[in-house]
């Protein structure tokens, strides 16, 4: 298994400056847009059923996040992901709190059928999506990421997707090869939307032409490294959130390479 | 009337780390989630009619905020508050701008019938909810908090709720005992969502097992003290907002106790 | 053509403290509310069809932004703008990404028929609104602002509105006189919602009784100058966003006057 090459990942992304279409939740829409701008992508949040099918064809990638799902939004997600499939636009699914209610689980399962390039969730979400009975605490996982590794491989094989399970250590698998990313900082769990930001960053790398595996590794490593650097500057969540946005803008290829801790799992 | 005891309030909250279900407005969803994370709770924003009834049964408390109400959201609020009542999950109502339009007033009145543990509003909102003809300026009050004290007591008695009227001085009443909280800072009125944050913090204390009266006093005192400490560090609203989030995370029981100014009213 | 007089513009706005009704997008709702509070206005986000017609009559100005348009929101915009017209409440249209999809273009065109006092967009948006075939990159313009000047004059004459095209240089025209504003900083393009903030600030000046031309010039000049001052303090987008909010609060008439670069175009 060859070490994925993240050299020049950031400069490639910034040169591509991909238009990333997001259908996302009300809590993180602003943070997601700012994270995408900071890293060098061009975000757009477009969610009306009447236009998502047209809009996604203009985009380089699509991010679908069910955090504050409503029925009209779910309908728009189905239209947009189908259009993305037709147009060859890669997309990523964030099955927020998938196991928390039957409605949410059914929604997440209907979406994973539609061939996302990447699925990113915490352990509780990935376990729920794989059909295991799990407890969860709202949007927060009650399981460590390693506990969902078998479930992640199962989903990856069944749907031909790369699956990322995030937690203290992040895992990325295509069902065969699996990588572990040992970057990040616990303060990332004290600010809302960092998981959603990880998903959006992966979307940006997908939009810049990276493979699903490369995009997932690059997106998660970027956020993990930026989280570490931000935690060195800021010890409380308000300042930390500011430092994360600053860090996404300031991070360069050399710093990413020297801080990345990606190993086979 | 015995002085409410807020000793260990923060450590109790942080140990409980309650899951707080929010059905709230688009302006403050992010700020509310971050404030709840910073204080030590676990926030979730879930608003679809199809799932709020299931989700609220997993939660320790429910926060209902009508700031950017829509008809589907109001339907979800009715479902969620009824389910909360059945499941014994305490909930708090924030009747944002209740008097501004007939639609909003009717919505707020329909919700207050459904047995919230706490109602928190500014003077204009509490006066409107009590049936008094008031002028308001959108979401901002045109009345001092003291002017709504009789209205607050009336609502408290009629609905068996604790009612909090916030302003330069905050008042909390159960219809019999009334307490005044002389904490806070005027900069809190120059950042959006501080009232909604107060409501969410009270929700967090409700979720940690505090009585309605204790939860209202604790939530308002915490935000008032954090506002004072933030204003000492930051003199403009951008920095102040960052300092508020930092302060919610950094505040401890001893600092809360030494700064709290709670007296009988 | 007489130089527009912005002397005392800020103090006039702050004395008026106008209630500004916003029907806006989910990405910028929080940022818009905070910008309006920081500059000295009183924001309200109210969007239900059932109440926008009543609410707008209480407001001093209305801001309509189609960034994350949905069908119910568009219906509310039609009701609110018609009521604004009847009640003499001036309003401003932000046709976000107007050219990106047929749905969005049709929506923007239906709204511009309803007599906005001001239309503010980037070059791609103004060109699309004027009926020219354009490419766009989601919400970001692919054209310089000068390229849309003829289109802006055309819209201004056809609809009796003041039209502002923002970019590296901003232009404001009523179809006859045209002014150029050479303030701003490129970092404003790396934070989401700065265009929407410009629109909201113009709305605040409209609400304080300024003419459409004065309001557009004042709003854009304020944001441009604040952007310059913020960029001198903050070199990355997280800190920059904080500095923008601080700067809107701290800016005074004298600083505005000494930094403004408004010339005939």
């Amino acid at each position: 298994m060859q070490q994925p090459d993240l050299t020049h990942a950031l400069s490639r992304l910034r040169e591509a400056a991909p238009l990333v279409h997001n259908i996302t939740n009300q809590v993180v829409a602003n943070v997601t847009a700012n994270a995408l701008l900071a890293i060098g992508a061009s975000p757009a949040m477009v969610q009306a059923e009447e236009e998502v099918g047209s809009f996604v064809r203009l985009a380089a990638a699509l991010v679908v996040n069910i955090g504050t799902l409503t029925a009209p939004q779910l309908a728009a997600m189905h239209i947009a992901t189908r259009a993305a499939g037709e147009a060859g636009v890669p997309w990523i699914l964030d099955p927020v709190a998938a196991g928390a209610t039957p409605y949410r689980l059914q929604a997440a399962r209907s979406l994973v059928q539609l061939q996302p390039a990447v699925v990113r969730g915490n352990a509780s979400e990935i376990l729920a999506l794989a059909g295991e009975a799990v407890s969860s605490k709202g949007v927060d996982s009650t399981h460590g990421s390693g506990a969902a590794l078998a479930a992640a491989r199962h989903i990856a094989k069944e749907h031909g997707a790369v699956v990322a399970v995030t937690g203290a250590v992040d895992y990325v698998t295509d069902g065969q090869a699996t990588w572990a990313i040992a970057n990040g900082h616990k303060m990332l769990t004290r600010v809302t939307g960092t998981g959603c930001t990880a998903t959006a960053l992966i979307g940006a790398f997908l939009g810049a032409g990276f493979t699903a595996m490369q995009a997932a590794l690059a997106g998660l490593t970027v956020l993990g490294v930026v989280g570490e650097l931000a935690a060195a500057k800021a010890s409380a969540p308000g300042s930390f959130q500011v430092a994360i946005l600053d860090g996404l803008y300031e991070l360069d290829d050399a710093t990413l390479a020297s801080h990345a801790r990606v190993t086979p799992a």
Side-chain angles (χ1 to χ4, degrees), chain A:
Chain A
M1 194 160 73
Q2 198 185 341
Q3 178 79 18
D5 184 10
L6 298 181
T7 323
H8 309 308
L10 280 167
S11 37
R12 276 180 62 193
L13 170 61
R14 285 163 183 161
E15 194 175 6
L19 174 60
V20 181
H21 179 185
N22 300 268
I23 307 179
T24 190
N25 73 67
Q26 66 166 191
V27 182
V28 304
N30 183 271
V31 172
T32 303
N34 272 326
L36 288 169
L37 282 170
I39 202 66
S42 180
M45 277 64 183
V46 170
Q47 62 177 347
E49 296 176 54
E50 291 85 351
E51 65 171 345
V52 287
S54 303
F55 193 85
V56 75
R57 291 167 197 274
L58 308 173
L62 171 67
V63 174
V64 171
N65 176 309
I66 66 167
T68 54
L69 194 65
T70 59
Q73 207 188 32
L74 180 57
M77 288 172 179
H78 285 144
I79 294 169
T81 51
R82 288 205 173 92
E86 287 166 22
V89 174
W91 68 281
I92 177 168
L93 173 63
D94 192 328
V96 181
T101 69
Y103 174 70
R104 197 166 276 261
L105 186 56
Q106 194 175 355
R109 286 197 180 148
S110 71
L111 289 164
V112 81
Q113 305 292 335
L114 298 171
Q115 299 193 295
V118 183
V119 178
R120 189 220 59 87
N122 63 33
S124 292
E125 291 157 354
I126 296 301
L127 286 165
L129 201 57
E132 304 196 23
V134 289
S135 65
S136 75
K137 188 170 180 181
V139 301
D140 298 323
S141 184
T142 52
H143 302 267
S145 50
L149 204 40
R153 288 193 183 110
H154 178 78
I155 296 169
K157 282 180 197 164
E158 189 172 347
H159 298 290
V162 164
V163 179
V165 193
T166 52
V169 173
D170 301 334
Y171 296 98
V172 180
T173 184
D174 59 8
Q176 306 294 334
T178 302
W179 297 91
I181 306 170
N183 291 104
H185 190 277
K186 68 179 192 294
M187 186 59 77
L188 286 163
T189 64
R190 299 303 288 267
V191 171
T192 197
T194 52
C196 306
T197 297
T199 300
L201 294 175
I202 297 171
F205 282 103
L206 284 174
F210 290 67
T211 66
M213 176 61 90
Q214 287 176 318
L217 290 170
L220 295 179
T221 308
V222 164
L223 186 62
V225 170
V226 168
E228 292 168 16
L229 299 173
K233 290 197 226 169
S235 60
S239 316
F240 182 76
Q241 195 176 26
V242 172
I244 288 283
L245 267 186
D246 284 353
L248 289 171
Y249 178 80
E250 289 166 345
L251 188 67
D252 58 28
D253 284 323
T255 309
L256 179 62
S258 67
H259 286 70
R261 289 194 293 277
V262 182
T263 54

